[in-house]
Amino acid sequence: MMTVNEVSKLAGVSIRTLQYYDKIGLLHPAGYTDSGYRLYDDAALERLQQILLFRELEFPLKQIKEIISAPDFDRNKALEQQIAMLQLKKEHLENLITFARGIQWIGVKTMDFSAFDTSKLDEYVEQAKKQWGTTDAYKEFENKSKGRTAETENAIAAGLMLLFEEFGKIRHSAPDTQEAQRLVKRLQGYITEHYYHCTPEILTGLGKMYAGGGAFTENIDTACGDGTAAFVADAIDCYCKNA
């Protein structure tokens, strides 16, 4: 866990900015010190990286929140698209540098404004935005979370983790047992109650995310025992195949 001061220095983001991100629900801390200072874990830092990449591409904060909070947000696909957009931005800047040097060295001979053309980048950004467009599930999540305090959000997250802990207790059994399947049903109901209508399709996607490596898998396995995330994913797969 890192303090807000450490994260500020690491990411080059002011403490005030991190506080504002928390206030608008874009980036909540993972916890607090006894003195009330914000603490950030690997999952929060990973989310901050995504936020900063989108900020480099001049996405509004509200749109960034919609994109990375969507249930079907694909981090790897987003990275591929961000790299493509940054590459286009780099090419645009290189064209501007070449154009400016030309003026410096030989003066303006023709009224050429082609170096200022950003249509290619703009078109790609618009296509990406449409693909990342707000889903019905995200709209429902936004409505349900509207007005919630940070304490309420943390309590809901803690309730979700308690469910994972129950999965952890039976992780060495078969994922298609009645107990495992009952837990999946409870998990689906909990997500529907507190976040968004959790269809079998969304539940399947969440299972893949839980066991897909990275911060999600690490956090679940650390709290509930090695192999819990994979067990949850397998139990979800069995459940959804029979849904």
Side-chain angles (χ1 to χ4, degrees):
M1 299 280 273
M2 298 182 68
T3 66
V4 67
N5 189 48
E6 290 171 333
V7 173
S8 174
K9 291 178 180 177
L10 176 68
V13 177
S14 71
I15 293 175
R16 182 172 293 181
T17 296
L18 291 169
Q19 291 170 339
Y20 181 67
Y21 285 174
D22 182 15
K23 181 180 178 181
I24 64 175
L26 181 60
L27 179 68
H28 292 306
Y32 296 87
T33 66
D34 293 338
S35 303
Y37 292 103
R38 292 170 173 82
L39 292 171
Y40 296 84
D41 60 6
D42 289 344
L45 293 176
E46 189 175 296
R47 185 177 175 95
L48 179 59
Q49 287 178 335
Q50 282 292 330
I51 292 168
L52 296 180
L53 279 171
F54 279 118
R55 289 299 286 155
E56 283 294 325
L57 293 165
E58 300 176 10
F59 278 63
L61 291 177
K62 182 179 179 181
Q63 196 162 49
I64 295 173
K65 181 182 176 183
E66 292 175 354
I67 292 169
I68 65 178
S69 298
D72 56 356
F73 175 66
D74 186 328
R75 177 179 173 275
N76 291 330
K77 191 168 187 179
L79 280 171
E80 289 176 6
Q81 293 174 321
Q82 286 165 338
I83 290 168
M85 284 186 280
L86 288 168
Q87 185 64 43
L88 289 171
K89 189 175 182 179
K90 176 188 173 187
E91 291 172 6
H92 173 62
L93 290 173
E94 287 174 344
N95 288 338
L96 284 175
I97 291 169
T98 301
F99 178 72
R101 282 177 177 160
I103 294 175
Q104 182 184 39
W105 293 337
I106 63 177
V108 178
K109 297 298 183 184
T110 59
M111 288 294 136
D112 181 8
F113 290 88
S114 60
F116 298 95
D117 182 14
T118 61
S119 58
K120 188 176 180 182
L121 174 59
D122 293 342
E123 182 181 355
Y124 192 98
V125 170
E126 282 305 309
Q127 289 175 352
K129 284 181 179 178
K130 287 178 182 177
Q131 188 168 351
W132 289 326
T134 306
T135 62
D136 290 338
Y138 178 78
K139 290 177 183 176
E140 185 180 355
F141 164 73
E142 195 172 43
N143 288 331
K144 287 188 175 182
S145 61
K146 194 177 296 181
R148 283 179 184 166
T149 64
E151 289 77 11
T152 301
E153 292 285 0
N154 289 337
I156 292 172
L160 186 62
M161 188 55 70
L162 285 175
L163 277 173
F164 286 126
E165 288 178 7
E166 292 193 44
F167 276 109
K169 293 174 183 176
I170 62 167
R171 68 186 185 278
H172 298 301
S173 62
D176 60 351
T177 61
Q178 287 187 356
E179 189 174 4
Q181 294 303 290
R182 279 197 297 268
L183 280 176
V184 174
K185 187 174 182 178
R186 283 177 57 193
L187 175 64
Q188 185 181 32
Y190 192 88
I191 293 169
T192 296
E193 180 182 357
H194 297 288
Y195 297 103
Y196 41 77
H197 180 57
C198 188
T199 65
E201 291 76 20
I202 289 178
L203 188 60
T204 298
L206 290 172
K208 291 177 180 177
M209 182 177 69
Y210 296 151
F216 277 106
T217 305
E218 183 179 345
N219 289 344
I220 293 172
D221 284 359
T222 299
C224 311
D226 289 341
T228 300
F231 176 74
V232 173
D234 290 341
I236 287 174
D237 184 58
C238 293
Y239 179 86
C240 291
K241 283 179 178 177
N242 297 318

